[in-house]
Amino acid sequence: MANSSFLRRNTNQHTVKNAKSKKMDREIDVAVHMVIDVLSEKYPELIFEHKKTIKLVEIIAMLSRQYPEYAELLGKPLATSFISPDGGFLFATNKQGERRPILVAEVKRQGTNDARESEGLPKQAKGNAIERLGKNLIGIRAIFKNEGVLPFICFGSGYDFQEGSSILDRVLTMNDFFPLNEMFVEKNCLPFEPTSMFFRYEGWSADDMANKMLDVAIRAIEYKFV
């Protein structure tokens, strides 16, 4: 009986968490298309393409071209392995056929202890959305290794990201110890490569995300194509 009760509570928790995560996935997808609409009007000479994934073999092929002296040292992942940030990758192509990534976006929700407390349930260990973010960020930094910009942005929300949470220190570490909730697009702080990490307790709407994502994309376009 105790096990059944525990499983039910755990299932309820994940049902709520999954529903909120799916809503955020929809919101960021809407936000990306809002950004594409504005960019298409602002830069009619560019063609924009949104991809949900990039295969690791593509990243390694790109790095091999950029750094041929290391081509033989780079690993050989499975052809099916890929990186899939929540908001995907946005590419721009100019009339000369130059194709560049101009925006990569993630959205993470972590922490349900506020909801559990309201239901009289005990607190649980903090989640692992941040660990998944860290793994993606390593690959994304590699994609922009030879670029002067790093147009990556992440939106985090939930109990684990409230002010004073130790989880925020993990995010700070991933950001090369540069502050959160600030824009970092151009690589002006080398050898450090901070990114735009926006984390708070409250959720993010499509409008919230689109406004900040648009800023990142425009700065990347201005650096790469203008």
Side-chain angles (χ1 to χ4, degrees):
M1 184 66 179
N3 286 341
S4 297
S5 177
F6 173 79
L7 289 172
R8 185 178 69 254
R9 290 179 179 183
N10 215 33
T11 300
N12 289 343
Q13 175 210 351
H14 287 294
T15 299
V16 172
K17 184 184 295 185
N18 291 339
K20 289 182 177 179
S21 295
K22 287 177 181 177
K23 181 179 185 298
M24 286 196 312
D25 289 344
R26 291 194 299 270
E27 290 287 305
I28 199 168
D29 197 52
V30 169
V32 169
H33 286 88
M34 290 168 68
V35 169
I36 293 173
D37 288 344
V38 175
L39 293 178
S40 297
E41 188 171 332
K42 184 176 177 64
Y43 302 101
E45 72 279 10
L46 297 176
I47 297 173
F48 297 98
E49 174 193 5
H50 183 223
K51 289 187 65 175
K52 294 296 287 184
T53 65
I54 289 184
K55 289 186 176 180
L56 299 190
V57 291
E58 294 179 61
I59 298 174
I60 289 177
M62 177 193 67
L63 291 172
S64 296
R65 291 191 298 270
Q66 294 172 348
Y67 302 97
E69 65 273 29
Y70 298 117
E72 294 302 316
L73 296 177
L74 298 175
K76 294 177 174 56
L78 296 174
T80 53
S81 298
F82 57 86
I83 294 177
S84 181
D86 306 299
F89 300 86
L90 183 58
F91 291 84
T93 304
N94 64 11
K95 292 180 179 179
Q96 289 72 45
E98 296 174 295
R99 180 175 179 265
R100 303 280 186 82
I102 58 161
L103 177 67
V104 186
E106 288 265 28
V107 60
K108 296 300 178 190
R109 178 175 175 80
Q110 182 170 303
T112 59
N113 279 330
D114 51 347
R116 291 179 62 82
E117 185 177 2
S118 69
E119 296 170 9
L121 299 175
K123 288 186 176 182
Q124 287 195 324
K126 295 181 178 179
N128 62 356
I130 287 306
E131 279 65 30
R132 294 194 299 274
L133 169 63
K135 287 186 285 188
N136 276 357
L137 186 53
I138 292 170
I140 291 163
R141 278 199 170 106
I143 291 171
F144 294 95
K145 185 64 68 179
N146 200 37
E147 299 278 1
V149 290
L150 183 48
F152 171 81
I153 189 166
C154 182
F155 302 94
S157 66
Y159 182 89
D160 287 2
F161 303 133
Q162 64 183 317
E163 188 174 351
S165 170
S166 63
I167 297 296
L168 290 177
D169 289 339
R170 297 187 196 177
V171 185
L172 189 72
T173 303
M174 289 178 197
N175 210 33
D176 282 357
F177 299 102
F178 276 67
L180 309 182
N181 301 313
E182 291 188 21
M183 282 288 188
F184 294 99
V185 182
E186 298 83 5
K187 292 184 180 180
N188 294 329
C189 305
L190 293 172
F192 301 102
E193 292 186 347
T195 62
S196 305
M197 297 277 205
F198 289 88
F199 282 74
R200 65 189 189 190
Y201 174 80
E202 299 82 12
W204 296 91
S205 70
D207 285 339
D208 289 338
M209 292 187 283
N211 285 329
K212 294 185 182 301
M213 290 160 62
L214 183 62
D215 185 17
V216 172
I218 288 175
R219 287 165 65 169
I221 289 171
E222 296 291 324
Y223 185 91
K224 292 166 179 281
F225 291 109
V226 178

